[in-house]
Each structure stands twice: as C-alpha cells, then as structure tokens.
C-alpha cells in the first residue's frame, strides 16, 4: 500500500510485482525529466530520462510516462526486486538552463 | 561513464569549526558543479552553482559567507561550511556537469555526511 504524511510517501510492493511511482512536476516550461534512485547514504543514481517531445520511454525493466497536459510523470518498474528498494526522485529541467529541480521523493520497499 | 567523487564521505566536527568538502570529476572536465543539501527523508535542495574561475551563484536563502564555494580547476570544487553549528548537520551532495554531454549532463557524487556536535 501507499502512505503519506510526515514521512516520505512509501510504496510497499511484493517481490516480482510491478511498481508505479508518480511525480507531479511544477514548471510547464520544463522539457527534460529524469528519474533517479537513491539508496541510503548514497548519491542519486540515474535510472531513465525523457524529453518533452515524447510521452513514453522504456529501459531495462523500467518505463517512464510523461503527461504534459497535467504535468505528471510516472516510473514503472517491472518485476520488482529487493535491490529496487530505495527512494526514487523525479527531476525536471528546462533545456539551456543547468539547474535541476528535484521532486519530493517516494520510498519503495520491496517485500521478499 | 563519468565519475564524480567526494571527500570525505563522512565527517564529525565540533560546533564552531569549519569543514571543507571536496568534489572531483575524475574522468572529465567540469566547467560547472552543483552543491546540494539533503535532510533526512527530504529531497535534494540546490544550494549553489559553482563555475570554474568565477564566483558561485547561490540559491535564495543560502548564506554565501556561511557556505564558501571555490571552483579553482576544471576537476575540483570545494564547499567549506564555516563556523558549523548542529543545524548544519546534513548530507551534502555535489554534481558535476560534463559539457560534452547533452541533456543528462549532471553526474552526482556519493555524498558527504556532516555531523556537527
């Protein structure tokens, strides 16, 4: 299930099931989006990116969907594994501007 | 792939002392580096943008005299937390921009955990 509140929104998922993580971005001028995975005590790790001229992009076990109309981004992880347990952040950027703006993050807990 | 290192990975200091954190791009030249701060269970907040050979650009609310940034070479930026206090305890993360890469050009370091007693 999913819980919100004082802690990070947490998605608990059974090993082998699919995970969907959502992100609402803020800047309608953003034209490039990235999903990062952050394990405890480590820096962010690039997972997948998508440009605004696309609405879907697939990688290995991951898919990113972009809905510019409602400024929404999602990350789908297929066949979730224990190693996928981490915090996932979306980030947005306007091309030509170096600055990345990070979303709030979602904790994924994989139950073996 | 591009590798960014940070040193130290963990530091504990007494209140009132200054702490320097290094960020290095190991296999590319970074004209721009970024410093972020992350509190527990929170997102990364950009503190400043560091440009080689010029003054850093600080985000609103970040004290430039408190967080001194020096980007003296194309592979090294340093963040010095001056007169550190317990509220400065945080996870500090740098990233470096590889200008030869389009779009996904920021590569992140592993972070530095600062604890101020």
């Amino acid at each position: 299930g999913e819980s919100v509140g004082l802690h990070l929104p947490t998605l608990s998922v059974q090993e082998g099931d699919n995970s969907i993580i959502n992100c609402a971005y803020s800047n309608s001028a953003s034209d490039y989006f990235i999903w990062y995975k952050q394990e405890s005590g480590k820096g962010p790790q690039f997972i997948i990116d998508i440009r605004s001229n696309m609405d879907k992009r697939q990688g290995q076990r991951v898919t990113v969907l972009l809905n510019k109309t409602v400024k929404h981004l999602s990350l789908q992880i297929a066949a979730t594994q224990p190693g996928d347990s981490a915090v996932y952040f979306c980030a947005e950027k306007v091309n030509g501007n170096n600055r990345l703006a990070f979303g709030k993050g979602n904790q994924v807990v994989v139950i073996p | 792939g591009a590798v960014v290192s940070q040193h130290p990975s963990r530091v504990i200091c007494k209140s009132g002392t200054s702490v320097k954190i290094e960020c290095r791009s190991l296999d590319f030249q970074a004209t721009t580096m970024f410093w972020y701060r992350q509190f527990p269970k929170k997102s990364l907040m950009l503190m400043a943008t560091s440009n080689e050979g010029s003054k850093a650009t600080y985000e609103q609310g970040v004290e430039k005299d408190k967080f001194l940034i020096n980007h003296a070479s194309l592979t090294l930026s340093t963040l010095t937390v001056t007169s550190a206090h317990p509220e400065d305890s945080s996870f500090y993360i740098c990233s470096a921009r590889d200008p030869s890469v389009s779009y996904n050009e920021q590569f992140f370091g592993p972070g530095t955990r600062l604890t101020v007693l």
Side-chain angles (χ1 to χ4, degrees), chain A residues 8 32 34 36 38 41-44 46 49 51 89 93 95 98-100 102-103, chain B residues 32 34 36 38 41-44 46 59 91 93 97 103-106 108-110:
Chain A
L8 281 172
Y32 179 60
I34 308 174
Y36 290 95
Q38 187 180 29
K42 297 184 178 179
F46 171 87
D49 58 358
R51 300 181 195 180
F89 292 98
K93 181 173 169 293
N95 193 27
N98 289 329
R99 298 170 77 255
L100 269 177
F102 280 80
Chain B
T32 306
F34 304 86
Y36 296 83
Q38 185 179 32
K41 305 292 185 184
K42 297 294 184 183
S43 187
L44 282 74
L46 180 65
E59 295 298 303
F91 194 51
I93 305 170
R97 179 175 175 267
Y103 286 94
N104 180 30
E105 72 274 18
Q106 277 195 46
F108 285 84

Side-chain angles (χ1 to χ4, degrees), chain A residues 31-51:
Chain A
D31 57 3
Y32 179 60
F33 306 88
I34 308 174
W35 278 102
Y36 290 95
K37 172 185 179 184
Q38 187 180 29
E39 296 174 86
S40 182
K42 297 184 178 179
Q45 176 189 350
F46 171 87
I47 301 174
I48 192 168
D49 58 358
I50 188 167
R51 300 181 195 180

Side-chain angles (χ1 to χ4, degrees), chain A residues 19-39:
Chain A
S19 304
I20 299 177
I21 307 161
N22 296 302
C23 174
Y25 65 92
S26 57
N27 188 351
S28 56
S30 294
D31 57 3
Y32 179 60
F33 306 88
I34 308 174
W35 278 102
Y36 290 95
K37 172 185 179 184
Q38 187 180 29
E39 296 174 86

